[in-house]
Amino acid sequence: MRVVFVVLVLLRVQHVHSASKGVVASLQAKWSMTPLLLETSEFIREDGEEKFWQFVDTVKELTVYKNGESVRSYYNLIIKKAGQFLTDLQVNLLKLSLSLRAYSPAVHAFQQIASDEPPPDGCTAFVVVHSQNACSTKDMKKLLKTAAGRPRPYLYKSDHQYPGVNGTDLPVAVLYAEIGTKEFNTFHKVLSERAQEGKLVYVLRHFVFEPKNEKMLLSGFGVELAIKSTEYKAVDDTQVKESKSLTTDNEAENDEVQGFLFRKLKKSHPELQEELRELRKHLLESTNDMTPLKVWELQDLSFQAASRIMTVPKFDSLKLMQDLSQNFPSRARSLTRVAVNQDMRKEIEDTQKRLSESMGIQPGDASLFINGIHIDLDIHNPFSILDILRTEAKILEGLHNLGIRGSSVSKFLHLPSSTTVEDSYALDIRHSSIMWANDIEKDSMYRHWPSSVQELLRATFPGVIRQIRRNFYNLVLFLDPIQEESIELVKLAELFYKHNIPLRIGFVLVISADDKVDGFLDAGVALFRLLNYISEEYDEAQAFTSMVSIYNRVEVGETLSVDTVTAYLTKKFPKENAARILGVDSSYDDNRKAGGGFYRKSGLGALPVGLFNGIPLRSEEMDPEEIETVLLQKIMETTNFFQRAVFMGQITESVDVVDFLMEQTNVVPRINPLILSSERRYLDFTSSPVADDWDDTTMFSYLDSKDKTAVVSKRIKYFIRDEEEVLYGVTMWIVADIEQPSGRQLLRNALKHMKSSSSNCRVGVINNPSGKPTEDNSALYRAVWASLLTQSSKNMLDFTLKLLKEENVELLKQGTKIKHLLKQGMDHDAFEKKFNTMEVDFLHSQQKYCKEVLKLKAGQRAVVSNGRVRFTNNPSSFGQLKKISMGDTISHMAKAYGFQYELVQYKWPRWLHQQTEKQRIIWGYKILFLDVLFPLAVDKIIFVDADQIVRADLKELRDLALEGAPYGYTPFCDSRREMEGYRFWKTGYWASHLGHRKYHISALYVVDLKKFRKIAAGDRLRGQYQALSQDPNSLSNLDQDLPNNMIHQVAIKSLPQEWLWCETWCDDNSKTTAKTIDLCNNPKTKEPKLSAAVRIVPEWSKYDNEIKQFLKRVKEQKEKITEGRSSSSSSSSPQHTGTRRDEL
């Protein structure tokens, strides 16, 4: 069981003092500045490892220019080198990426991995061979010789693996180096050569020997400086007094404003009293741009801003828009004096009306669309938008390279996206073998539910599962009745059933298909026949409850037995003859084989397995401890799909929901993991290479992957069914060694399918020989190729099918000539001439293509269908809110005090009423998002306030039984009598609301997250908060008022009083047994917390001094490291005189 301890502390920001009124804040990463060259390589890597390695080869020693060039010149050099592999549009995106430092975390991740090795002393680059390090190529070669005796290293998904054989039997050499340095090039030359020769697996990880002293300044993030009041407010602040921006007349006489002495001016010019007052007012407003505006001045402010932007030249308008947006409060006063163009006002109002009617965008709303894709600004950030831009750029460039340009591009962009439930394949659940336990639409227990599909569009609190009398959600469980796992799954299904979750539940029992096996020999057969009997004689609901009752009789650790089934039958139906139901002559055996047949045809994995609306659940989702949460989450996700379908008119009152689901494009007859795998690789056909001949193997080898694919697609020939010119919907390439039986079988099956299929399909074949191709070992493929080049479509198809028969292959091995296998009607002369004069160079090119582009081993088979490649054979912690964290101090504390920590975060939903004060935001995170803030693997959390001293083992609190409640809080003490008048919960609303219950404090609490999620406590709390928070006078202490207000709906377990002692409310006698001491505010004395801590807690001073000394040591260590790096870099860096370096 994992337990997370949560402490909330405020984010520290830098405050720079200056003469300016403003506060300058910056956000620094924990890691040092990363080299732009490495970030550029990671950007290029997104387009494939091949481009990455080509870029690496181009910049092997680029850093030699680093010291001789200015920063800007070196940056331009990197961009120029990258431009060799990127389009102009991609180069612009690269510049955006570098400005955001988007790939700096990826580079630093490798640096962290390197620190775990750890790096050998003095090595600017090093190689790790199976856990042993080498600083030179000579030592590396020695380690490679003995690598077989040591375990292989773990490779990460982000690792850069050099293209090559990369077999599991080869040693793995991991190079830690900085691309572009001389040391990197030395290792890279040796490792890349050996990887190409198939002698090792070469992996590169970024490693900077001497990182820069400066920390990485983060872009794309916002920093907020919030000023928090640390005391309870002792005044009534509900009466807001109007602030005066101008001083009184008496004050005005003595004021000097921008050098004008208005007292003297009034004496000198009494006739200009009014004009002087207006002048003074104007000068005051111009010196204080933040003066609040009147209501009437605000009404046209947006129009005035737009008018201002439109009056400047076009090349300045974007800069002005940026300035107004970022500095709006200080610019607002000047905008009030801008005259609004009435034509522009009318155009804006017309646009607002059109957007409101067509897209629901109301005046004042902000929306971003990229190529018609709506970008939710509450979800996306500059980094995710960069990803979207890159994806869209790839699509548009691909269409452009295919010749689709101009207005045709917009037509492609307007194509509707898939409307399937999700990007997963589903099975048709309308199968006769499924035993449905319930039917939402027909069963009487659901008769009081509304049946209209429009109920889906009715507003409800977020997270509420709508109870509608439609079979929107369907669960099918494939079970082997005698497996132990089946017991828990059946009981879980009953839980959903009893709690009226709108889930239709069905079972497919996979049992013995042997007719000789009856219910007295096999428990699965016995259960199947008994359930059939109950369904026929009574109903499905009783059959399901009987199934649950039978499994409830099975002891823990045992499995279902025949005796258990017969005992239930005898007790429940004493008048029935057991032999008539379970015996050899049972009449309740219908569809017995159907379940097993459906399961085997489906292609599903090992039992048990479930389908949600036809989509298979993953094995980890079938864990009985996880499946409940998984199913509830899927119900919530699928609701959005149905809402969209109802809104768009795809589901109406007359539509059968299950039929609608099963007619979606993701429903297939069989789940074939080879074809329907989630990992998809597609070939790129958009290239137009200068050379398009594969007969010259040397020239072909110099082409990149896209060019190689373009050459192959141009040169390949196809088997077709007839000579008519048609548009082929399916193009298949069969990749195999035709000289091997498995390769011939694959090609023969593909050709037979094409011949019998009604679809327009064509088949090409690429040879992937097991060895080096020669005339002697390639006769079959060359014969197939000769027929493709010389014969009609019918003749070449018939001849190839004949040639691939194993009996004919045996005849060829015995000496029969291929010409003797030619069929009547073929052009014998043309065939023999082509076959006898055919060179094997193009076979070498095909072999290289299979290895370098398709990433196949020699002889490995694959199918490329419409450009998609399919392979057919293969030879306990401490938690903190991320937004409110202790910076890097916590990492040092974790190391010193031996604890683990994790950072958690959750973005406040846009639909939930927002809090603006920092303290109330923290309170909100303490209570509103407990179900979504932590990983599902976390069972319990304990929250401890930062000002609380723990004197006991919190494991005791973790193990405390909560007696069915989702969380436990400690009640406020009643023992300090002198504070009786301050106990607000004993009078008024709280007294009547709580009744006999106690009011609980939120300084410490324990949460059973499994129970919390199971009863949807988070949804209930958020719903009540949404209703109450609209009133500013409600929930004054949000984090504890809300759970106490909801105590009747979400139960609170009252923890023993000893778990939280507070001097304000608890008497001195109870302090001796206290397990935690909380430094509560005292509304009577208002004593500062730090002075109270020294007085109340004897060990406080000891703790305080220890932490101060610890932080001092950390600071000194940092300074020593910084000084060491500075002296090292200053001694090794060349001195520049007489020139000035320009900076980025």
Side-chain angles (χ1 to χ4, degrees), residues 812-1019:
L812 294 174
K813 289 180 181 180
Q814 294 170 11
T816 302
K817 301 292 185 180
I818 284 183
K819 64 180 181 180
H820 296 144
L821 297 177
L822 297 178
K823 294 179 69 72
Q824 189 175 359
M826 290 179 65
D827 188 335
H828 289 223
D829 293 338
F831 175 86
E832 289 188 57
K833 182 178 180 181
K834 178 59 69 174
F835 178 77
N836 292 330
T837 60
M838 189 179 295
E839 300 289 340
V840 296
D841 286 344
F842 82 103
L843 297 180
H844 290 285
S845 295
Q846 289 191 10
Q847 186 179 44
K848 188 173 287 290
Y849 180 75
C850 294
K851 176 184 177 182
E852 296 178 1
V853 180
L854 300 181
K855 309 298 182 185
L856 299 175
K857 297 178 181 179
Q860 187 178 356
R861 296 172 292 152
V863 175
V864 181
S865 178
N866 284 358
R868 182 180 171 188
V869 184
R870 172 165 61 88
F871 301 104
T872 59
N873 70 317
N874 290 292
S876 323
S877 63
F878 174 95
Q880 269 197 303
L881 273 177
K882 209 166 189 177
K883 292 177 66 177
I884 312 169
S885 68
M886 297 167 61
D888 60 353
T889 303
I890 191 172
S891 62
H892 296 288
M893 294 182 70
K895 187 175 181 181
Y897 293 102
F899 64 85
Q900 294 178 313
Y901 72 97
E902 294 178 22
L903 300 178
V904 294
Q905 66 178 341
Y906 182 76
K907 184 174 178 63
W908 195 293
R910 63 183 299 185
W911 51 262
L912 195 65
H913 181 72
Q914 304 286 320
Q915 293 291 335
T916 55
E917 186 182 339
K918 179 64 70 175
Q919 184 63 58
R920 292 185 66 79
I921 293 173
I922 295 174
W923 286 346
Y925 274 105
K926 280 178 63 175
I927 187 62
L928 292 174
F929 310 115
L930 295 173
D931 52 340
V932 291
L933 193 58
F934 302 98
L936 291 177
V938 178
D939 295 326
K940 277 190 176 181
I941 63 162
I942 296 174
F943 180 92
V944 184
D945 253 354
D947 61 347
Q948 201 159 347
I949 295 90
V950 180
R951 288 181 163 181
D953 188 351
L954 287 174
K955 180 179 182 296
E956 182 183 345
L957 181 57
R958 183 200 71 180
D959 296 335
L960 185 71
L962 298 182
E963 301 174 352
Y967 42 36
Y969 287 72
T970 309
F972 270 81
C973 281
D974 282 334
S975 53
R976 190 170 291 279
R977 297 301 176 189
E978 59 265 33
M979 297 300 293
E980 197 60 38
Y982 292 90
R983 291 187 170 94
F984 59 89
W985 58 90
K986 289 194 171 184
T987 59
Y989 167 79
W990 285 114
S992 60
H993 179 75
L994 294 172
H996 65 281
R997 294 178 174 85
K998 296 181 179 180
Y999 185 91
H1000 298 81
I1001 188 169
S1002 63
L1004 174 140
Y1005 55 86
V1006 57
V1007 184
D1008 181 349
L1009 287 176
K1010 294 187 71 174
K1011 179 69 175 180
F1012 192 93
R1013 292 175 178 131
K1014 182 178 291 186
I1015 66 171
D1019 294 328

